[in-house]
Amino acid sequence: MNAEQQSTMLKSEIFVEHPITIENAIKLKVLFEGEYVAGGTLHQIQWESGVPLPSRLINLSCIEQLKKVRYEKNDENILAIGALTSIAECITHPEIVEHCPLLTEACRNIAAPAVRNRATIGGNVASGIGDAIPALLVLDAKVKIALKDQIYVIDLATWLKEKGSYPFLLLDILIPLQAKKTKSFYRKVGRREAFTASLVTVSCCWSKCGHNENSFIRIAVGGGTHFPIRLQKLEKLLTGSRSQITRDIIYNTILEEFHSYSDAFVTESYRKKVTANILTEKLETILREG
Ligand SMILES: Cc1cc2nc3c(=O)[nH]c(=O)nc-3n(C[C@H](O)[C@H](O)[C@H](O)COP(=O)(O)OP(=O)(O)OC[C@H]3O[C@@H](n4cnc5c(N)ncnc54)[C@H](O)[C@@H]3O)c2cc1C
């Protein structure tokens, strides 16, 4: 290493704080003006793609309170998953497997086992683009966040829209326990089978009532760098009596409601068509099934 390279390395020094309580992490965020890091795996990907690492990091990994998975009861029964729960634990934890098999399935589709051991569900959700988000949206998840010295519970979909405007600490993902007859579907589509960012990730959750009608259906799309959303127009169309609903109506509603993007590999139009094809096929099956 020559002198010039060495001085470049010294200039890029990173300062890391290691709080062990939630209160200290929040104080440090204000005083230190750093960025939270949990597993650091998304930071790693961004750094490898040329984004400089933040110069001040607040390492959350020593905060035991953020590692708990537990039941909570308020208006409904809820499974609260601590933000530091690893993606690997979301696949094996008995309560998560029993009550949120859709989340387990989504997590099985994230990265490779070594990354899943470090990566956290909190980091996946806080990133705003994680592949777990479409599954959590259709499970009607909420988030518990700390903002200064206050704690708030907010609907995940609402929070995703507004979270950029304040320095939150994500504490828990709150998932209402689903009724036994609720069914679900998750699909991540990539350019190849290996662990690459998805082209698109889709998820649905539904339940039937009498006369083969959907008592509810929730449908979400995300993946890649899409802003994850629920397809509420489509949900409305498919809820209750829907004898007039044809394949073409479903397909065109998806194209109308889902907005995508182009990059160096794939056009917006292709992403939209892939999404519409996958969802239409699945939704047709759901409509037909008893
Ligand atoms: C090889 C590889 C493959 C990958 N494949 C996938 C994939 O298939 N699908 C996918 O979704 N992701 C993938 N990722 C990205 C990443 O692993 C996941 O999104 C992971 O869940 C992020 O969690 P983390 O704890 O590592 O987040 P970090 O990198 O630590 O943080 C991510 C972001 O969230 C913020 N953050 C983290 N925790 C909190 C908190 N509690 N409160 C507030 N903000 C917080 C951080 O400040 C940062 O902005 C991959 C990464 C790698 C390296």
Side-chain angles (χ1 to χ4, degrees):
M1 185 189 299
N2 62 35
E4 195 182 334
Q5 282 169 326
Q6 194 170 16
S7 79
T8 310
M9 282 187 72
L10 288 173
K11 270 187 216 155
S12 66
E13 235 173 14
I14 296 170
F15 297 93
V16 188
E17 291 284 348
H18 304 275
I20 57 168
T21 64
I22 289 172
E23 295 71 24
N24 269 344
I26 296 167
K27 274 187 199 144
L28 282 165
K29 178 82 178 160
V30 179
L31 289 173
F32 187 63
E33 291 180 357
E35 194 177 327
Y36 292 130
V37 58
T41 59
L42 186 66
H43 283 292
Q44 177 196 333
I45 271 201
Q46 289 170 337
W47 177 63
E48 283 169 0
S49 68
V51 179
L53 278 170
S55 57
R56 289 163 179 253
L57 291 172
I58 302 161
N59 171 23
L60 301 174
S61 68
C62 307
I63 306 179
E64 289 301 318
Q65 262 177 289
L66 297 180
K67 294 181 183 168
K68 295 187 176 129
V69 177
R70 64 201 183 279
Y71 292 103
E72 279 187 5
K73 189 163 171 58
N74 26 55
D75 295 346
E76 43 194 357
N77 291 318
I78 280 170
L79 190 65
I81 304 179
L84 279 185
T85 306
S86 71
I87 297 291
E89 281 175 273
C90 290
I91 300 173
T92 55
H93 193 287
E95 268 83 28
I96 303 178
V97 171
E98 183 181 349
H99 294 293
C100 310
L102 184 64
L103 177 62
T104 298
E105 191 182 346
C107 289
R108 264 197 230 109
N109 282 276
I110 292 174
V115 174
R116 297 202 286 254
N117 287 335
R118 280 211 62 79
T120 65
I121 188 71
N124 198 274
V125 172
S127 73
I129 50 168
D131 281 318
I133 299 175
L136 291 169
L137 283 174
V138 300
L139 289 170
D140 239 359
K142 294 184 170 56
V143 287
K144 191 184 280 179
I145 57 156
L147 183 59
K148 295 189 184 153
D149 51 357
Q150 298 288 327
I151 290 182
Y152 300 90
V153 171
I154 313 172
D155 171 55
L156 172 61
T158 310
W159 180 70
L160 286 170
K161 284 184 208 140
E162 63 182 41
K163 73 181 180 61
S165 55
Y166 45 67
F168 62 89
L169 173 63
L170 178 59
L171 306 177
D172 291 299
I173 320 287
L174 307 175
I175 306 178
L177 302 190
Q178 311 290 309
K180 283 269 179 284
K181 59 182 184 174
T182 303
K183 293 185 177 177
S184 56
F185 163 80
Y186 178 90
R187 176 95 183 268
K188 171 175 165 175
V189 186
R191 280 198 294 279
R192 55 189 167 94
E193 287 302 309
F195 305 108
T196 55
S198 51
L199 283 189
V200 71
T201 300
V202 297
S203 193
C204 354
C205 189
W206 70 98
S207 176
K208 297 262 181 174
C209 54
H211 313 295
N212 196 24
E213 291 178 0
N214 289 321
S215 59
F216 75 83
I217 180 158
R218 298 190 284 262
I219 306 160
V221 190
T225 56
H226 289 110
F227 180 81
I229 54 158
R230 288 261 299 271
L231 299 183
Q232 287 175 323
K233 195 171 169 194
L234 185 64
E235 289 175 2
K236 212 168 159 197
L237 188 78
L238 298 174
T239 305
S241 170
R242 63 227 179 267
S243 50
Q244 310 299 320
I245 308 299
T246 63
R247 184 187 168 83
D248 282 354
I249 294 177
I250 297 175
Y251 188 87
N252 288 326
T253 308
I254 297 166
L255 289 186
E256 199 183 303
E257 195 170 11
F258 172 54
H259 301 285
S260 189
Y261 62 93
S262 298
D263 62 18
F265 301 101
V266 181
T267 64
E268 174 181 18
S269 148
Y270 179 78
R271 275 195 170 83
K272 286 180 69 148
K273 282 181 192 156
V274 168
T275 308
N277 283 333
I278 292 168
L279 270 178
T280 305
E281 190 191 332
K282 185 65 199 174
L283 293 169
E284 268 204 316
T285 317
I286 295 171
L287 290 186
R288 277 198 305 269
E289 75 190 7

